[in-house]
Amino acid sequence: MSNGKTYLGVDIGGTSVKLGLVDEQGVIRYSEAYDVAFDRYETPILKTVLKSMKLFLAEHEVTEQELAGIGVSATGGIDTVNGVVIGSAGHIQNWEGSRIKEEMEKMFHLPTTVLNDANAAALGEMWIGAAADRRNVIVMTVGTGVGGGIIVDSKILLGANGLAGEIGHIVINSDGELCSCGNHGCMEHYGSTTALIRRVRDAASCGKIILPEEQELDGRFIFSEAEKGSTAMLELLDSWIDDIASGLVGLVHIFNPELILIGGGVSAQKELFIDRLREKVMARCMPHFVKHLELKAAELGNDAGLIGAVYYCIQQNDLVCDK
């Protein structure tokens, strides 16, 4: 182990948990991923995670005494104060109600903090990523769903019990289609990569687009076709980006950020996605709100949640020490 404090970062997703030893500068010394969905969640995720943590520490010959704390990034709605999962994606059974903080502190005797994964990713970007040295930032992740984190005056906005920042469930179309959350017209239903794929599939079923037989329909294929100049695909992309911009324009007018970061696999598409999204957001916001506003891709990728979870643990430990 190196000099200085070392933390155990834990990033719990729907299919795997990523574990890492992270130092005080946000450098991941070692990391490893373990499957949590191997039996379709019959074994509760938390039980698998705890077992994986013990295995990880043993493999790297790290004792509890060498760690300063545990920072957890977790999928779902998280009661940050108590470190409990209070909302879960419907397909993940045996997850809601998991007492992450309590169980980890009982097993490892280390101070443990728990954040929603999108909030953790936002903090990671603020610490050592694309939002370093920025104080007011909106981070949005576009993937299977739409997630986000909002940083106000260098602090993650958590709300009353840690649920703030659910960007994906801003309503952008009050007469819209049903979302998985039970509401209608949510940005997640219209602005996720899943939504883009659904648009293309619907267009193909109507004969507006002809898809090659046996072609796997995913984001890579869609952007590849758009790059080739497919007019129909470009129009579908443009409509999809319009919907994402609608949600972001509302957030800009509420929070007056200096930076918007876009994460997720599609953020690698600079010309066809990031640049166009920036143009639409800037054009639709009131002038004074865009004077010092930037919009660009996030930098930390799949490490953002792990790094941000540790940063939050460091912040909370410092608060305890100051009292």
Side-chain angles (χ1 to χ4, degrees):
M1 297 284 287
S2 59
N3 294 329
K5 293 181 179 178
T6 300
Y7 294 79
L8 177 60
V10 183
D11 187 7
I12 307 171
T15 57
S16 66
V17 56
K18 184 175 182 179
L19 304 176
L21 297 174
V22 184
D23 68 18
E24 292 176 289
Q25 285 71 49
V27 177
I28 301 175
R29 300 298 183 186
Y30 309 100
S31 67
E32 200 161 340
Y34 300 83
D35 186 10
V36 298
F38 55 90
D39 60 358
R40 298 186 180 182
Y41 312 112
E42 287 298 326
T43 303
I45 291 181
L46 183 54
K47 182 176 181 180
T48 303
V49 169
L50 292 168
K51 182 179 178 180
S52 300
M53 290 166 71
K54 294 188 77 170
L55 180 62
F56 177 77
L57 293 177
E59 286 179 346
H60 294 284
E61 299 180 343
V62 177
T63 64
E64 296 167 15
Q65 291 73 27
E66 294 177 273
L67 296 172
I70 300 172
V72 183
S73 160
T75 186
I78 304 297
D79 174 345
T80 306
V81 175
N82 297 301
V84 178
V85 181
I86 57 176
S88 170
H91 66 282
I92 304 178
Q93 63 176 339
N94 297 320
W95 180 231
E96 191 168 345
S98 297
R99 307 189 69 81
I100 300 173
K101 176 180 171 69
E102 179 183 309
E103 293 297 323
M104 289 188 183
E105 289 186 341
K106 185 190 300 182
M107 178 170 285
F108 297 102
H109 313 290
L110 289 165
T112 301
T113 57
V114 188
L115 270 182
N116 163 266
D117 51 1
N119 284 335
L123 273 180
E125 293 289 346
M126 188 190 76
W127 187 19
I128 62 168
D133 302 321
R134 304 300 183 94
R135 292 174 51 82
N136 294 279
V137 184
I138 292 170
V139 180
M140 184 177 76
T141 56
V142 179
T144 306
V146 173
I150 298 167
I151 294 167
V152 179
D153 293 334
S154 300
K155 294 181 180 178
I156 192 73
L157 182 67
L158 296 175
N161 56 8
L163 296 175
E166 279 288 355
I167 291 174
H169 297 289
I170 296 171
V171 174
I172 60 171
N173 182 355
S174 59
D175 296 320
E177 297 173 4
L178 182 66
C179 177
S180 60
C181 74
N183 210 340
H184 288 263
C186 291
M187 186 154 79
E188 178 165 291
H189 186 77
Y190 288 90
S192 61
T193 308
T194 307
L196 175 60
I197 292 168
R198 185 174 64 250
R199 288 177 194 229
V200 173
R201 186 176 289 119
D202 289 347
S205 68
C206 295
K208 295 179 181 178
I209 288 180
I210 299 175
L211 299 175
E213 289 186 19
E214 299 182 4
Q215 170 63 51
E216 181 182 358
L217 185 55
D218 57 16
R220 290 187 184 88
F221 171 75
I222 292 169
F223 277 96
S224 173
E225 290 299 296
E227 284 176 359
K228 294 174 185 175
S230 167
T231 302
M233 203 69 85
L234 285 168
E235 288 176 354
L236 288 169
L237 267 180
D238 193 64
S239 174
W240 176 68
I241 295 170
D242 264 339
D243 284 340
I244 297 173
S246 293
L248 285 175
V249 167
L251 290 170
V252 167
H253 288 144
I254 295 169
F255 294 104
N256 186 203
E258 59 201 290
L259 176 65
I260 298 171
L261 289 181
I262 308 297
V266 293
S267 66
Q269 298 289 339
K270 184 178 184 299
E271 291 81 9
L272 286 175
F273 179 51
I274 296 295
D275 290 349
R276 293 190 181 194
L277 180 61
R278 182 190 303 111
E279 290 171 9
K280 290 176 183 292
V281 170
M282 299 300 182
R284 291 166 60 183
C285 288
M286 289 187 280
H288 291 299
F289 284 83
V290 301
K291 191 172 289 185
H292 303 291
L293 178 63
E294 288 184 71
L295 186 153
K296 61 183 181 179
E299 291 180 353
L300 298 181
N302 292 332
D303 290 334
L306 196 72
I307 292 168
V310 166
Y311 184 59
Y312 186 68
C313 185
I314 292 172
Q315 283 184 319
Q316 296 306 111
N317 284 352
D318 286 345
L319 284 176
V320 171
C321 292
D322 290 341
K323 290 180 180 178

